[in-house]
Amino acid sequence: MTRVYNFSAGPSVMPVPVLEEAQKDLLDYKGAGMSVMEMSHRSKDYQQIIDTTVADLRELLSIPENYKVIFMQGGATGQFAAVPMNLLKNGAADYIVTGNWSASAAKECGKYGTANVLADTKDTNYTVIPDVDSLAYNDDADYTYICENETIYGVKYPKLPQTKAPLVSDVSSMFLSEKHDIEKYGLLYGGVQKNIGPAGLAIIIVREDLLRDDICPYCPTILNYKKNEEKGSMLNTPNTWSIYMCGLTLKWLKEQGGLDAMRERNEKKAALVYDYLDNSKMFKANVQDKAVRSLMNIPFVTGNDELDAKFIAESTAAGLKSLKGHRSVGGMRASIYNAMPVEGVQALVDFMEKFEKENS
Ligand SMILES: *Cc1c(COP(=O)(O)O)cnc(C)c1O
């Protein structure tokens, strides 16, 4: 068996101990005589799995009592619709657009109400984050929406907007990479396939006063936060396998020392790459403002398309996989989520160094 270093933006690398535990449980989950995939979601065994997963998430993030945890299907994209359908009241929300994901979310909101775009950084190729203290927030906005870490462009908010309206944040690609300060948000959510588990599941953490009955009348029941919460995320058959796998990752995170330890490790990993890029004569980070650089997704280029293609081909052959940049950006992108070991990041930096020597 050979495990490569997988720099995919998502679905992405998972911790080996998590995969091993799933493998161990696959045919017979702790004496149940069946796998978790084959188990009724109404069974005692499964109820215990989901309850433990929620409890571990609450513990890792110190989630206050008045915030609820909901599991939903439809990925993060489902939440682009669920957020406006559940949270619009006066019919308008503020959006800060800092990349494809927040642009898509704003567009989706427009189907159900008005998305007031307070800033759009497209003219910088999404390499900056606007100063959140100088934006013209609307006092009657139902919420302020951000994508806190833009997976494609590699920018992250260094500071959260402080607004009268509840803050809604898409944290998909930085979920559990550090300790989110829950009380700063009305709602935060993420698809789990970037940093927690297998695709097809979104985790929503929402302040309970935002769960309402008088929501958009044509909101599909399956996207109704209040109804999902009341049914313990089992309004219908949930993504039982993904929830179970996320539970294993949470256990692994606890064993790693929790989210402050993860943050420290992630800062160290990201610094290895950025330091190399900043000192290289060949490679350059797309995001030059150090204050807004993502710790999880690092896009970079040589400035020469042919050289980029050569780098991608040779790094792939060397067991460093999925370093090709997003199709809308080109170049390269290294996604170095929680499960990417320091050794993997070091192997990437070593490879870049060797490539630079050989090609200059
Ligand atoms: C990947 C991603 C999405 C889309 O996730 P899906 O689960 O495929 O819908 C949305 N937002 C961010 C920040 C992402 O990284």
Side-chain angles (χ1 to χ4, degrees):
M1 185 196 66
T2 315
R3 293 273 300 171
V4 297
Y5 287 123
N6 174 12
F7 295 92
S8 170
S12 37
V13 57
M14 292 187 58
V16 170
V18 166
L19 298 172
E20 282 172 344
E21 186 160 353
Q23 184 182 47
K24 186 162 72 55
D25 284 347
L26 193 63
L27 294 182
D28 178 9
Y29 175 77
K30 307 195 192 314
M34 62 177 88
S35 74
V36 173
M37 274 182 276
E38 302 165 286
M39 206 175 263
S40 165
H41 58 299
R42 307 286 179 203
S43 67
K44 230 186 186 161
D45 276 334
Y46 196 74
Q47 191 61 52
Q48 198 177 13
I49 289 172
I50 193 168
D51 288 348
T52 305
T53 304
V54 172
D56 284 344
L57 186 70
R58 298 195 80 99
E59 182 187 327
L60 275 164
L61 283 170
S62 311
I63 301 177
E65 273 297 314
N66 62 325
Y67 282 77
K68 303 294 182 190
V69 173
I70 312 173
F71 299 118
M72 285 169 89
Q73 302 191 53
T77 304
Q79 296 305 307
F80 295 173
V83 165
M85 281 199 281
N86 283 274
L87 301 190
L88 285 179
K89 212 172 180 176
N90 301 320
D94 287 344
Y95 279 72
I96 306 175
V97 173
T98 53
N100 280 24
W101 295 120
S102 37
S104 299
K107 190 163 169 230
E108 189 73 12
C109 172
K111 294 183 184 171
Y112 311 104
T114 304
N116 290 311
V117 175
L118 302 186
D120 185 332
T121 59
K122 189 168 185 168
D123 62 348
T124 70
N125 291 321
Y126 296 124
T127 54
V128 303
I129 294 285
D131 173 12
V132 294
D133 293 331
S134 63
L135 296 174
Y137 300 99
N138 291 295
D139 275 346
D140 55 353
D142 289 319
Y143 57 89
T144 306
Y145 185 100
I146 62 168
C147 173
E148 205 167 324
N149 181 77
E150 279 278 1
T151 322
I152 297 173
Y153 302 92
V155 284
K156 175 189 181 234
Y157 280 71
K159 181 180 174 200
L160 295 174
Q162 276 180 297
T163 58
K164 224 177 98 205
L167 179 65
V168 174
S169 178
D170 174 358
V171 296
S172 296
S173 47
M174 60 176 289
F175 219 166
L176 306 184
S177 66
E178 60 183 75
K179 196 155 183 175
H180 311 282
D181 189 352
I182 304 297
E183 279 178 323
K184 292 205 166 127
Y185 305 87
L187 182 152
L188 62 159
Y189 76 86
V192 302
Q193 75 274 25
K194 309 287 161 65
N195 213 13
I196 315 179
L201 179 72
I203 300 179
I204 296 96
I205 303 170
V206 55
R207 214 173 58 212
E208 70 189 344
D209 61 281
L210 295 174
L211 300 174
R212 308 188 341 253
D213 288 313
D214 60 330
I215 64 167
C216 167
Y218 43 84
C219 176
T221 307
I222 191 73
L223 290 182
N224 182 313
Y225 289 146
K226 185 149 188 273
K227 288 203 157 73
N228 274 282
E229 198 281 323
E230 283 167 357
K231 296 286 185 190
S233 300
M234 293 212 209
L235 189 92
N236 69 331
T237 318
N239 187 335
T240 53
W241 177 253
S242 183
I243 293 169
Y244 157 74
M245 291 295 289
C246 289
L248 296 184
T249 300
L250 299 178
K251 202 174 109 185
W252 177 79
L253 286 169
K254 282 169 55 174
E255 286 162 8
Q256 300 303 300
L259 299 183
D260 290 332
M262 284 325 291
R263 186 193 175 106
E264 208 174 294
R265 189 190 298 179
N266 288 328
E267 281 172 347
K268 198 170 133 199
K269 279 155 50 185
L272 277 174
V273 183
Y274 285 121
D275 285 350
Y276 183 75
L277 292 171
D278 289 344
N279 290 305
S280 164
K281 291 201 172 61
M282 174 180 282
F283 298 100
K284 185 168 165 252
N286 293 22
V287 178
Q288 283 298 307
D289 178 356
K290 292 187 176 144
V292 304
R293 284 175 167 175
S294 169
L295 298 184
M296 296 283 102
N297 312 100
I298 307 181
F300 59 97
V301 290
T302 63
N304 173 330
D305 289 347
E306 264 170 52
L307 208 52
D308 285 355
K310 189 170 186 227
F311 179 83
I312 291 157
E314 291 184 9
S315 57
T316 304
L320 307 168
K321 303 286 182 184
S322 296
L323 282 165
K324 196 171 191 306
H326 189 271
R327 59 191 180 279
S328 62
V329 182
M332 284 73 74
R333 172 178 47 172
S335 293
I336 51 172
Y337 297 116
N338 283 345
M340 172 60 66
V342 180
E343 295 76 32
V345 177
Q346 190 60 54
L348 170 63
V349 171
D350 291 346
F351 183 84
M352 283 163 58
E353 205 169 353
K354 177 168 161 276
F355 185 89
E356 182 165 352
K357 267 198 200 109
E358 286 170 359
N359 292 277
S360 49

